mmCIF file of all heavy atoms in Angstrom:
data_model
loop_
_atom_site.group_PDB
_atom_site.id
_atom_site.type_symbol
_atom_site.label_atom_id
_atom_site.label_comp_id
_atom_site.label_asym_id
_atom_site.label_seq_id
_atom_site.Cartn_x
_atom_site.Cartn_y
_atom_site.Cartn_z
ATOM 1 N N ASN A 52 31.773 1.496 -12.469
ATOM 2 C CA ASN A 52 31.856 2.835 -11.871
ATOM 3 C C ASN A 52 30.519 3.564 -11.957
ATOM 4 O O ASN A 52 30.100 4.233 -11.007
ATOM 5 C CB ASN A 52 32.946 3.665 -12.545
ATOM 6 C CG ASN A 52 34.333 3.190 -12.208
ATOM 7 O OD1 ASN A 52 34.539 2.429 -11.261
ATOM 8 N ND2 ASN A 52 35.298 3.632 -12.992
ATOM 9 N N PHE A 53 29.866 3.439 -13.105
ATOM 10 C CA PHE A 53 28.571 4.076 -13.301
ATOM 11 C C PHE A 53 27.545 3.519 -12.308
ATOM 12 O O PHE A 53 26.817 4.277 -11.658
ATOM 13 C CB PHE A 53 28.108 3.852 -14.747
ATOM 14 C CG PHE A 53 26.756 4.410 -15.039
ATOM 15 C CD1 PHE A 53 26.607 5.740 -15.392
ATOM 16 C CD2 PHE A 53 25.626 3.609 -14.971
ATOM 17 C CE1 PHE A 53 25.350 6.263 -15.670
ATOM 18 C CE2 PHE A 53 24.371 4.119 -15.247
ATOM 19 C CZ PHE A 53 24.230 5.451 -15.592
ATOM 20 N N CYS A 54 27.491 2.202 -12.203
ATOM 21 C CA CYS A 54 26.546 1.578 -11.269
ATOM 22 C C CYS A 54 26.838 2.006 -9.831
ATOM 23 O O CYS A 54 25.919 2.339 -9.072
ATOM 24 C CB CYS A 54 26.605 0.054 -11.375
ATOM 25 S SG CYS A 54 25.859 -0.586 -12.870
ATOM 26 N N ASN A 55 28.101 2.015 -9.464
ATOM 27 C CA ASN A 55 28.476 2.424 -8.108
ATOM 28 C C ASN A 55 28.077 3.871 -7.840
ATOM 29 O O ASN A 55 27.664 4.206 -6.729
ATOM 30 C CB ASN A 55 29.968 2.232 -7.883
ATOM 31 C CG ASN A 55 30.344 0.761 -7.825
ATOM 32 O OD1 ASN A 55 29.511 -0.105 -7.542
ATOM 33 N ND2 ASN A 55 31.594 0.469 -8.120
ATOM 34 N N MET A 56 28.192 4.718 -8.859
ATOM 35 C CA MET A 56 27.777 6.114 -8.713
ATOM 36 C C MET A 56 26.284 6.192 -8.388
ATOM 37 O O MET A 56 25.880 6.851 -7.434
ATOM 38 C CB MET A 56 28.082 6.886 -9.995
ATOM 39 C CG MET A 56 27.645 8.335 -9.960
ATOM 40 S SD MET A 56 27.797 9.159 -11.561
ATOM 41 C CE MET A 56 26.394 8.465 -12.451
ATOM 42 N N LEU A 57 25.461 5.493 -9.167
ATOM 43 C CA LEU A 57 24.015 5.539 -8.919
ATOM 44 C C LEU A 57 23.633 4.858 -7.614
ATOM 45 O O LEU A 57 22.675 5.262 -6.951
ATOM 46 C CB LEU A 57 23.245 4.926 -10.082
ATOM 47 C CG LEU A 57 23.210 5.749 -11.368
ATOM 48 C CD1 LEU A 57 22.346 5.068 -12.411
ATOM 49 C CD2 LEU A 57 22.722 7.161 -11.131
ATOM 50 N N LEU A 58 24.381 3.848 -7.225
ATOM 51 C CA LEU A 58 24.061 3.135 -5.989
ATOM 52 C C LEU A 58 24.493 3.896 -4.739
ATOM 53 O O LEU A 58 24.270 3.426 -3.623
ATOM 54 C CB LEU A 58 24.650 1.730 -6.014
ATOM 55 C CG LEU A 58 23.963 0.803 -7.021
ATOM 56 C CD1 LEU A 58 24.702 -0.522 -7.130
ATOM 57 C CD2 LEU A 58 22.501 0.575 -6.671
ATOM 58 N N CYS A 59 25.050 5.089 -4.908
ATOM 59 C CA CYS A 59 25.288 5.983 -3.762
ATOM 60 C C CYS A 59 23.959 6.516 -3.236
ATOM 61 O O CYS A 59 23.863 6.975 -2.099
ATOM 62 C CB CYS A 59 26.191 7.156 -4.153
ATOM 63 S SG CYS A 59 27.918 6.710 -4.389
ATOM 64 N N VAL A 60 22.929 6.465 -4.089
ATOM 65 C CA VAL A 60 21.597 6.927 -3.703
ATOM 66 C C VAL A 60 20.963 5.890 -2.778
ATOM 67 O O VAL A 60 21.056 4.683 -3.011
ATOM 68 C CB VAL A 60 20.717 7.153 -4.949
ATOM 69 C CG1 VAL A 60 19.295 7.524 -4.569
ATOM 70 C CG2 VAL A 60 21.330 8.209 -5.850
ATOM 71 N N ASN A 61 20.312 6.373 -1.743
ATOM 72 C CA ASN A 61 19.583 5.516 -0.818
ATOM 73 C C ASN A 61 18.574 4.683 -1.619
ATOM 74 O O ASN A 61 17.811 5.232 -2.414
ATOM 75 C CB ASN A 61 18.869 6.401 0.204
ATOM 76 C CG ASN A 61 18.127 5.653 1.273
ATOM 77 O OD1 ASN A 61 17.639 4.544 1.056
ATOM 78 N ND2 ASN A 61 18.016 6.252 2.433
ATOM 79 N N PRO A 62 18.556 3.362 -1.426
ATOM 80 C CA PRO A 62 17.622 2.503 -2.187
ATOM 81 C C PRO A 62 16.157 2.911 -2.051
ATOM 82 O O PRO A 62 15.377 2.711 -2.973
ATOM 83 C CB PRO A 62 17.843 1.110 -1.587
ATOM 84 C CG PRO A 62 19.196 1.155 -0.982
ATOM 85 C CD PRO A 62 19.415 2.575 -0.543
ATOM 86 N N LEU A 63 15.783 3.497 -0.918
ATOM 87 C CA LEU A 63 14.405 3.940 -0.734
ATOM 88 C C LEU A 63 14.034 5.045 -1.724
ATOM 89 O O LEU A 63 12.866 5.198 -2.088
ATOM 90 C CB LEU A 63 14.189 4.432 0.703
ATOM 91 C CG LEU A 63 14.361 3.369 1.788
ATOM 92 C CD1 LEU A 63 14.315 4.012 3.167
ATOM 93 C CD2 LEU A 63 13.301 2.283 1.655
ATOM 94 N N TRP A 64 15.012 5.812 -2.172
ATOM 95 C CA TRP A 64 14.804 6.863 -3.171
ATOM 96 C C TRP A 64 15.069 6.367 -4.584
ATOM 97 O O TRP A 64 14.396 6.777 -5.534
ATOM 98 C CB TRP A 64 15.717 8.061 -2.888
ATOM 99 C CG TRP A 64 15.327 8.858 -1.699
ATOM 100 C CD1 TRP A 64 15.933 8.833 -0.467
ATOM 101 C CD2 TRP A 64 14.258 9.792 -1.597
ATOM 102 N NE1 TRP A 64 15.297 9.702 0.378
ATOM 103 C CE2 TRP A 64 14.265 10.309 -0.284
ATOM 104 C CE3 TRP A 64 13.293 10.245 -2.491
ATOM 105 C CZ2 TRP A 64 13.349 11.253 0.145
ATOM 106 C CZ3 TRP A 64 12.375 11.187 -2.055
ATOM 107 C CH2 TRP A 64 12.404 11.684 -0.752
ATOM 108 N N LEU A 65 16.086 5.518 -4.742
ATOM 109 C CA LEU A 65 16.481 5.087 -6.083
ATOM 110 C C LEU A 65 15.388 4.267 -6.771
ATOM 111 O O LEU A 65 15.141 4.441 -7.963
ATOM 112 C CB LEU A 65 17.790 4.288 -6.019
ATOM 113 C CG LEU A 65 18.409 3.896 -7.360
ATOM 114 C CD1 LEU A 65 18.638 5.108 -8.253
ATOM 115 C CD2 LEU A 65 19.720 3.144 -7.119
ATOM 116 N N ARG A 66 14.733 3.408 -6.036
ATOM 117 C CA ARG A 66 13.702 2.568 -6.653
ATOM 118 C C ARG A 66 12.588 3.387 -7.298
ATOM 119 O O ARG A 66 12.296 3.199 -8.487
ATOM 120 C CB ARG A 66 13.136 1.590 -5.631
ATOM 121 C CG ARG A 66 12.059 0.702 -6.231
ATOM 122 C CD ARG A 66 11.427 -0.188 -5.211
ATOM 123 N NE ARG A 66 10.505 -1.127 -5.814
ATOM 124 C CZ ARG A 66 9.801 -1.992 -5.120
ATOM 125 N NH1 ARG A 66 9.935 -2.061 -3.818
ATOM 126 N NH2 ARG A 66 8.978 -2.799 -5.725
ATOM 127 N N PRO A 67 11.913 4.298 -6.560
ATOM 128 C CA PRO A 67 10.836 5.051 -7.238
ATOM 129 C C PRO A 67 11.358 5.928 -8.378
ATOM 130 O O PRO A 67 10.665 6.117 -9.376
ATOM 131 C CB PRO A 67 10.201 5.886 -6.128
ATOM 132 C CG PRO A 67 11.129 5.839 -4.984
ATOM 133 C CD PRO A 67 11.990 4.624 -5.140
ATOM 134 N N ALA A 68 12.578 6.445 -8.249
ATOM 135 C CA ALA A 68 13.145 7.260 -9.324
ATOM 136 C C ALA A 68 13.364 6.421 -10.581
ATOM 137 O O ALA A 68 13.031 6.842 -11.691
ATOM 138 C CB ALA A 68 14.450 7.904 -8.868
ATOM 139 N N LEU A 69 13.925 5.225 -10.419
ATOM 140 C CA LEU A 69 14.110 4.331 -11.568
ATOM 141 C C LEU A 69 12.768 3.976 -12.192
ATOM 142 O O LEU A 69 12.628 3.950 -13.417
ATOM 143 C CB LEU A 69 14.847 3.053 -11.145
ATOM 144 C CG LEU A 69 16.345 3.168 -10.932
ATOM 145 C CD1 LEU A 69 16.889 1.915 -10.249
ATOM 146 C CD2 LEU A 69 17.068 3.419 -12.242
ATOM 147 N N MET A 79 11.892 -5.988 -6.160
ATOM 148 C CA MET A 79 12.869 -6.055 -5.073
ATOM 149 C C MET A 79 12.561 -7.309 -4.243
ATOM 150 O O MET A 79 11.932 -7.223 -3.198
ATOM 151 C CB MET A 79 12.767 -4.796 -4.207
ATOM 152 C CG MET A 79 12.879 -3.495 -4.965
ATOM 153 S SD MET A 79 14.545 -3.002 -5.273
ATOM 154 C CE MET A 79 15.017 -2.351 -3.710
ATOM 155 N N PRO A 83 12.972 -3.782 0.594
ATOM 156 C CA PRO A 83 13.134 -2.434 0.063
ATOM 157 C C PRO A 83 14.583 -1.941 -0.030
ATOM 158 O O PRO A 83 14.847 -0.937 -0.672
ATOM 159 C CB PRO A 83 12.322 -1.571 1.022
ATOM 160 C CG PRO A 83 12.271 -2.349 2.278
ATOM 161 C CD PRO A 83 12.287 -3.788 1.874
ATOM 162 N N LEU A 84 15.509 -2.638 0.590
ATOM 163 C CA LEU A 84 16.912 -2.221 0.557
ATOM 164 C C LEU A 84 17.768 -3.154 -0.291
ATOM 165 O O LEU A 84 18.984 -3.227 -0.116
ATOM 166 C CB LEU A 84 17.476 -2.126 1.981
ATOM 167 C CG LEU A 84 16.734 -1.164 2.905
ATOM 168 C CD1 LEU A 84 17.329 -1.211 4.302
ATOM 169 C CD2 LEU A 84 16.746 0.249 2.364
ATOM 170 N N ASP A 85 17.144 -3.860 -1.220
ATOM 171 C CA ASP A 85 17.818 -4.863 -2.054
ATOM 172 C C ASP A 85 18.700 -4.192 -3.107
ATOM 173 O O ASP A 85 18.275 -3.934 -4.230
ATOM 174 C CB ASP A 85 16.766 -5.760 -2.708
ATOM 175 C CG ASP A 85 17.357 -6.939 -3.449
ATOM 176 O OD1 ASP A 85 18.594 -7.037 -3.549
ATOM 177 O OD2 ASP A 85 16.562 -7.762 -3.945
ATOM 178 N N SER A 86 19.951 -3.911 -2.747
ATOM 179 C CA SER A 86 20.838 -3.202 -3.668
ATOM 180 C C SER A 86 21.221 -4.063 -4.867
ATOM 181 O O SER A 86 21.503 -3.533 -5.944
ATOM 182 C CB SER A 86 22.083 -2.690 -2.950
ATOM 183 O OG SER A 86 22.809 -3.754 -2.398
ATOM 184 N N ALA A 87 21.209 -5.385 -4.720
ATOM 185 C CA ALA A 87 21.508 -6.257 -5.860
ATOM 186 C C ALA A 87 20.431 -6.112 -6.937
ATOM 187 O O ALA A 87 20.744 -6.068 -8.132
ATOM 188 C CB ALA A 87 21.629 -7.708 -5.408
ATOM 189 N N LEU A 89 18.591 -3.454 -7.438
ATOM 190 C CA LEU A 89 18.768 -2.126 -8.020
ATOM 191 C C LEU A 89 19.946 -2.106 -8.988
ATOM 192 O O LEU A 89 19.874 -1.506 -10.051
ATOM 193 C CB LEU A 89 18.965 -1.076 -6.923
ATOM 194 C CG LEU A 89 17.714 -0.791 -6.088
ATOM 195 C CD1 LEU A 89 18.056 0.080 -4.896
ATOM 196 C CD2 LEU A 89 16.631 -0.160 -6.941
ATOM 197 N N ARG A 90 21.027 -2.789 -8.643
ATOM 198 C CA ARG A 90 22.188 -2.872 -9.537
ATOM 199 C C ARG A 90 21.779 -3.547 -10.849
ATOM 200 O O ARG A 90 22.124 -3.085 -11.925
ATOM 201 C CB ARG A 90 23.335 -3.630 -8.885
ATOM 202 C CG ARG A 90 24.557 -3.760 -9.812
ATOM 203 C CD ARG A 90 25.734 -4.424 -9.144
ATOM 204 N NE ARG A 90 26.357 -3.601 -8.147
ATOM 205 C CZ ARG A 90 27.258 -2.640 -8.397
ATOM 206 N NH1 ARG A 90 27.629 -2.397 -9.635
ATOM 207 N NH2 ARG A 90 27.771 -1.947 -7.426
ATOM 208 N N VAL A 93 19.782 -1.132 -12.960
ATOM 209 C CA VAL A 93 20.646 -0.132 -13.595
ATOM 210 C C VAL A 93 21.415 -0.758 -14.746
ATOM 211 O O VAL A 93 21.470 -0.210 -15.851
ATOM 212 C CB VAL A 93 21.611 0.501 -12.559
ATOM 213 C CG1 VAL A 93 22.695 1.317 -13.241
ATOM 214 C CG2 VAL A 93 20.838 1.351 -11.557
ATOM 215 N N THR A 121 19.783 8.789 -17.119
ATOM 216 C CA THR A 121 20.627 9.179 -15.991
ATOM 217 C C THR A 121 20.356 10.615 -15.563
ATOM 218 O O THR A 121 20.166 10.891 -14.370
ATOM 219 C CB THR A 121 22.114 9.006 -16.343
ATOM 220 O OG1 THR A 121 22.325 7.649 -16.746
ATOM 221 C CG2 THR A 121 22.997 9.329 -15.158
ATOM 222 N N GLN A 123 17.715 12.483 -16.225
ATOM 223 C CA GLN A 123 16.354 12.575 -15.704
ATOM 224 C C GLN A 123 16.253 11.967 -14.308
ATOM 225 O O GLN A 123 15.549 12.493 -13.442
ATOM 226 C CB GLN A 123 15.364 11.897 -16.644
ATOM 227 C CG GLN A 123 15.094 12.691 -17.892
ATOM 228 C CD GLN A 123 14.056 12.044 -18.796
ATOM 229 O OE1 GLN A 123 13.787 10.846 -18.717
ATOM 230 N NE2 GLN A 123 13.468 12.847 -19.674
ATOM 231 N N LEU A 124 16.957 10.888 -14.078
ATOM 232 C CA LEU A 124 16.949 10.233 -12.772
ATOM 233 C C LEU A 124 17.464 11.178 -11.695
ATOM 234 O O LEU A 124 16.837 11.347 -10.642
ATOM 235 C CB LEU A 124 17.803 8.966 -12.833
ATOM 236 C CG LEU A 124 17.882 8.143 -11.573
ATOM 237 C CD1 LEU A 124 16.609 7.329 -11.401
ATOM 238 C CD2 LEU A 124 19.064 7.197 -11.637
ATOM 239 N N VAL A 125 18.591 11.819 -11.946
ATOM 240 C CA VAL A 125 19.185 12.705 -10.942
ATOM 241 C C VAL A 125 18.306 13.936 -10.716
ATOM 242 O O VAL A 125 18.090 14.349 -9.572
ATOM 243 C CB VAL A 125 20.626 13.094 -11.332
ATOM 244 C CG1 VAL A 125 21.213 14.067 -10.322
ATOM 245 C CG2 VAL A 125 21.504 11.848 -11.427
ATOM 246 N N VAL A 126 17.772 14.507 -11.779
ATOM 247 C CA VAL A 126 16.877 15.665 -11.647
ATOM 248 C C VAL A 126 15.623 15.260 -10.874
ATOM 249 O O VAL A 126 15.162 15.990 -9.983
ATOM 250 C CB VAL A 126 16.536 16.251 -13.036
ATOM 251 C CG1 VAL A 126 15.407 17.264 -12.959
ATOM 252 C CG2 VAL A 126 17.779 16.877 -13.647
ATOM 253 N N PHE A 127 15.067 14.101 -11.201
ATOM 254 C CA PHE A 127 13.883 13.627 -10.482
ATOM 255 C C PHE A 127 14.198 13.414 -9.004
ATOM 256 O O PHE A 127 13.403 13.793 -8.136
ATOM 257 C CB PHE A 127 13.338 12.333 -11.092
ATOM 258 C CG PHE A 127 12.179 11.793 -10.310
ATOM 259 C CD1 PHE A 127 10.902 12.293 -10.511
ATOM 260 C CD2 PHE A 127 12.364 10.826 -9.337
ATOM 261 C CE1 PHE A 127 9.829 11.835 -9.752
ATOM 262 C CE2 PHE A 127 11.300 10.361 -8.581
ATOM 263 C CZ PHE A 127 10.027 10.869 -8.785
ATOM 264 N N LEU A 128 15.331 12.793 -8.703
ATOM 265 C CA LEU A 128 15.712 12.562 -7.304
ATOM 266 C C LEU A 128 15.760 13.865 -6.519
ATOM 267 O O LEU A 128 15.268 13.941 -5.386
ATOM 268 C CB LEU A 128 17.069 11.855 -7.223
ATOM 269 C CG LEU A 128 17.069 10.372 -7.540
ATOM 270 C CD1 LEU A 128 18.492 9.880 -7.766
ATOM 271 C CD2 LEU A 128 16.395 9.578 -6.427
ATOM 272 N N ASP A 129 16.340 14.882 -7.116
ATOM 273 C CA ASP A 129 16.446 16.175 -6.444
ATOM 274 C C ASP A 129 15.061 16.749 -6.160
ATOM 275 O O ASP A 129 14.780 17.214 -5.052
ATOM 276 C CB ASP A 129 17.274 17.125 -7.309
ATOM 277 C CG ASP A 129 17.710 18.357 -6.562
ATOM 278 O OD1 ASP A 129 18.434 18.208 -5.549
ATOM 279 O OD2 ASP A 129 17.324 19.471 -6.972
ATOM 280 N N ALA A 131 12.189 15.057 -6.031
ATOM 281 C CA ALA A 131 11.453 14.174 -5.123
ATOM 282 C C ALA A 131 11.863 14.420 -3.676
ATOM 283 O O ALA A 131 11.017 14.431 -2.775
ATOM 284 C CB ALA A 131 11.691 12.719 -5.508
ATOM 285 N N LYS A 132 13.136 14.610 -3.446
ATOM 286 C CA LYS A 132 13.609 14.891 -2.096
ATOM 287 C C LYS A 132 13.063 16.224 -1.614
ATOM 288 O O LYS A 132 12.577 16.336 -0.481
ATOM 289 C CB LYS A 132 15.145 14.889 -2.063
ATOM 290 C CG LYS A 132 15.748 15.244 -0.720
ATOM 291 C CD LYS A 132 15.421 14.218 0.337
ATOM 292 C CE LYS A 132 16.182 14.546 1.627
ATOM 293 N NZ LYS A 132 15.656 13.822 2.766
ATOM 294 N N LEU A 137 8.741 10.703 0.026
ATOM 295 C CA LEU A 137 8.630 9.522 0.891
ATOM 296 C C LEU A 137 7.916 9.814 2.203
ATOM 297 O O LEU A 137 7.864 8.963 3.091
ATOM 298 C CB LEU A 137 10.011 8.923 1.165
ATOM 299 C CG LEU A 137 10.751 8.403 -0.068
ATOM 300 C CD1 LEU A 137 12.050 7.731 0.339
ATOM 301 C CD2 LEU A 137 9.902 7.457 -0.892
ATOM 302 N N PRO A 142 13.901 10.053 4.545
ATOM 303 C CA PRO A 142 15.288 9.585 4.745
ATOM 304 C C PRO A 142 16.285 10.366 3.891
ATOM 305 O O PRO A 142 15.904 11.045 2.946
ATOM 306 C CB PRO A 142 15.225 8.120 4.291
ATOM 307 C CG PRO A 142 14.068 8.057 3.363
ATOM 308 C CD PRO A 142 13.078 9.083 3.844
ATOM 309 N N CYS A 143 17.552 10.241 4.232
ATOM 310 C CA CYS A 143 18.620 10.891 3.460
ATOM 311 C C CYS A 143 18.548 10.409 2.013
ATOM 312 O O CYS A 143 18.262 9.243 1.756
ATOM 313 C CB CYS A 143 19.989 10.545 4.027
ATOM 314 S SG CYS A 143 20.294 11.247 5.643
ATOM 315 N N LEU A 144 18.833 11.301 1.084
ATOM 316 C CA LEU A 144 18.804 10.955 -0.336
ATOM 317 C C LEU A 144 19.963 10.029 -0.694
ATOM 318 O O LEU A 144 19.815 9.130 -1.508
ATOM 319 C CB LEU A 144 18.847 12.223 -1.192
ATOM 320 C CG LEU A 144 18.718 12.058 -2.693
ATOM 321 C CD1 LEU A 144 17.449 11.293 -3.067
ATOM 322 C CD2 LEU A 144 18.724 13.415 -3.370
ATOM 323 N N PHE A 145 21.108 10.251 -0.064
ATOM 324 C CA PHE A 145 22.290 9.440 -0.351
ATOM 325 C C PHE A 145 22.644 8.588 0.853
ATOM 326 O O PHE A 145 22.409 8.979 1.997
ATOM 327 C CB PHE A 145 23.474 10.326 -0.750
ATOM 328 C CG PHE A 145 23.283 10.963 -2.092
ATOM 329 C CD1 PHE A 145 22.608 12.166 -2.221
ATOM 330 C CD2 PHE A 145 23.745 10.343 -3.237
ATOM 331 C CE1 PHE A 145 22.404 12.739 -3.465
ATOM 332 C CE2 PHE A 145 23.543 10.899 -4.482
ATOM 333 C CZ PHE A 145 22.872 12.101 -4.596
ATOM 334 N N ASP A 146 23.202 7.416 0.575
ATOM 335 C CA ASP A 146 23.688 6.533 1.627
ATOM 336 C C ASP A 146 24.714 7.307 2.446
ATOM 337 O O ASP A 146 25.567 7.994 1.895
ATOM 338 C CB ASP A 146 24.322 5.297 0.987
ATOM 339 C CG ASP A 146 24.716 4.264 2.004
ATOM 340 O OD1 ASP A 146 25.690 4.521 2.750
ATOM 341 O OD2 ASP A 146 24.081 3.210 2.057
ATOM 342 N N VAL A 147 24.643 7.194 3.763
ATOM 343 C CA VAL A 147 25.522 7.983 4.634
ATOM 344 C C VAL A 147 26.997 7.632 4.446
ATOM 345 O O VAL A 147 27.866 8.452 4.720
ATOM 346 C CB VAL A 147 25.118 7.854 6.121
ATOM 347 C CG1 VAL A 147 23.771 8.503 6.365
ATOM 348 C CG2 VAL A 147 25.114 6.422 6.568
ATOM 349 N N THR A 148 27.282 6.430 3.948
ATOM 350 C CA THR A 148 28.678 6.031 3.741
ATOM 351 C C THR A 148 29.154 6.264 2.308
ATOM 352 O O THR A 148 30.299 5.984 1.987
ATOM 353 C CB THR A 148 28.872 4.542 4.092
ATOM 354 O OG1 THR A 148 28.070 3.751 3.219
ATOM 355 C CG2 THR A 148 28.503 4.267 5.545
ATOM 356 N N ALA A 149 28.288 6.791 1.460
ATOM 357 C CA ALA A 149 28.612 6.965 0.039
ATOM 358 C C ALA A 149 29.605 8.106 -0.173
ATOM 359 O O ALA A 149 29.658 9.057 0.595
ATOM 360 C CB ALA A 149 27.342 7.242 -0.748
ATOM 361 N N ARG A 150 30.354 7.993 -1.267
ATOM 362 C CA ARG A 150 31.320 9.042 -1.607
ATOM 363 C C ARG A 150 30.640 10.262 -2.208
ATOM 364 O O ARG A 150 31.162 11.365 -2.184
ATOM 365 C CB ARG A 150 32.389 8.500 -2.555
ATOM 366 C CG ARG A 150 31.840 8.043 -3.894
ATOM 367 C CD ARG A 150 32.885 7.349 -4.759
ATOM 368 N NE ARG A 150 32.273 6.702 -5.894
ATOM 369 C CZ ARG A 150 32.278 7.199 -7.115
ATOM 370 N NH1 ARG A 150 32.899 8.314 -7.376
ATOM 371 N NH2 ARG A 150 31.691 6.554 -8.090
ATOM 372 N N ILE A 151 29.462 10.096 -2.776
ATOM 373 C CA ILE A 151 28.695 11.202 -3.351
ATOM 374 C C ILE A 151 27.600 11.566 -2.360
ATOM 375 O O ILE A 151 26.893 10.688 -1.868
ATOM 376 C CB ILE A 151 28.088 10.804 -4.710
ATOM 377 C CG1 ILE A 151 29.198 10.445 -5.697
ATOM 378 C CG2 ILE A 151 27.206 11.914 -5.259
ATOM 379 C CD1 ILE A 151 28.706 9.865 -6.994
ATOM 380 N N LYS A 152 27.450 12.862 -2.104
ATOM 381 C CA LYS A 152 26.498 13.306 -1.086
ATOM 382 C C LYS A 152 25.451 14.294 -1.595
ATOM 383 O O LYS A 152 24.650 14.787 -0.826
ATOM 384 C CB LYS A 152 27.255 13.974 0.075
ATOM 385 C CG LYS A 152 28.256 13.083 0.770
ATOM 386 C CD LYS A 152 27.573 12.025 1.576
ATOM 387 C CE LYS A 152 28.607 11.245 2.372
ATOM 388 N NZ LYS A 152 28.067 10.090 3.011
ATOM 389 N N SER A 153 25.479 14.608 -2.904
ATOM 390 C CA SER A 153 24.487 15.545 -3.437
ATOM 391 C C SER A 153 24.221 15.245 -4.912
ATOM 392 O O SER A 153 25.069 14.665 -5.600
ATOM 393 C CB SER A 153 24.970 16.990 -3.287
ATOM 394 O OG SER A 153 26.023 17.263 -4.189
ATOM 395 N N THR A 154 23.052 15.677 -5.365
ATOM 396 C CA THR A 154 22.729 15.489 -6.782
ATOM 397 C C THR A 154 23.646 16.349 -7.646
ATOM 398 O O THR A 154 24.006 15.942 -8.746
ATOM 399 C CB THR A 154 21.254 15.826 -7.062
ATOM 400 O OG1 THR A 154 20.958 17.137 -6.562
ATOM 401 C CG2 THR A 154 20.328 14.808 -6.426
ATOM 402 N N LYS A 155 24.033 17.506 -7.148
ATOM 403 C CA LYS A 155 24.960 18.362 -7.902
ATOM 404 C C LYS A 155 26.289 17.641 -8.114
ATOM 405 O O LYS A 155 26.816 17.606 -9.231
ATOM 406 C CB LYS A 155 25.187 19.678 -7.156
ATOM 407 C CG LYS A 155 26.152 20.606 -7.860
ATOM 408 C CD LYS A 155 26.351 21.891 -7.075
ATOM 409 C CE LYS A 155 27.369 22.790 -7.754
ATOM 410 N NZ LYS A 155 27.612 24.010 -6.983
ATOM 411 N N ALA A 156 26.818 17.049 -7.052
ATOM 412 C CA ALA A 156 28.089 16.320 -7.153
ATOM 413 C C ALA A 156 27.949 15.127 -8.095
ATOM 414 O O ALA A 156 28.866 14.817 -8.861
ATOM 415 C CB ALA A 156 28.561 15.869 -5.775
ATOM 416 N N MET A 157 26.795 14.464 -8.062
ATOM 417 C CA MET A 157 26.578 13.313 -8.941
ATOM 418 C C MET A 157 26.553 13.749 -10.408
ATOM 419 O O MET A 157 27.188 13.117 -11.253
ATOM 420 C CB MET A 157 25.285 12.581 -8.577
ATOM 421 C CG MET A 157 25.022 11.364 -9.439
ATOM 422 S SD MET A 157 23.598 10.413 -8.892
ATOM 423 C CE MET A 157 24.352 9.448 -7.593
ATOM 424 N N LEU A 158 25.832 14.821 -10.701
ATOM 425 C CA LEU A 158 25.775 15.308 -12.084
ATOM 426 C C LEU A 158 27.144 15.777 -12.563
ATOM 427 O O LEU A 158 27.521 15.543 -13.714
ATOM 428 C CB LEU A 158 24.760 16.441 -12.220
ATOM 429 C CG LEU A 158 23.312 16.025 -12.402
ATOM 430 C CD1 LEU A 158 22.414 17.247 -12.466
ATOM 431 C CD2 LEU A 158 23.113 15.157 -13.620
#
Side-chain angles (χ1 to χ4, degrees):
N52 289 344
F53 177 85
C54 287
N55 290 337
M56 178 188 75
L57 288 183
L58 291 173
C59 287
V60 175
N61 183 330
L63 296 172
W64 288 103
L65 186 55
R66 180 184 186 182
L69 283 168
M79 306 277 282
L84 302 177
D85 187 355
S86 60
L89 290 171
R90 179 176 289 278
V93 168
T121 304
Q123 286 183 340
L124 181 78
V125 177
V126 169
F127 176 82
L128 284 166
D129 194 61
K132 177 65 174 165
L137 297 185
C143 292
L144 185 55
F145 290 87
D146 186 289
V147 293
T148 62
R150 63 187 169 102
I151 299 172
K152 300 289 186 189
S153 72
T154 53
K155 179 180 177 182
M157 181 174 278
L158 277 178

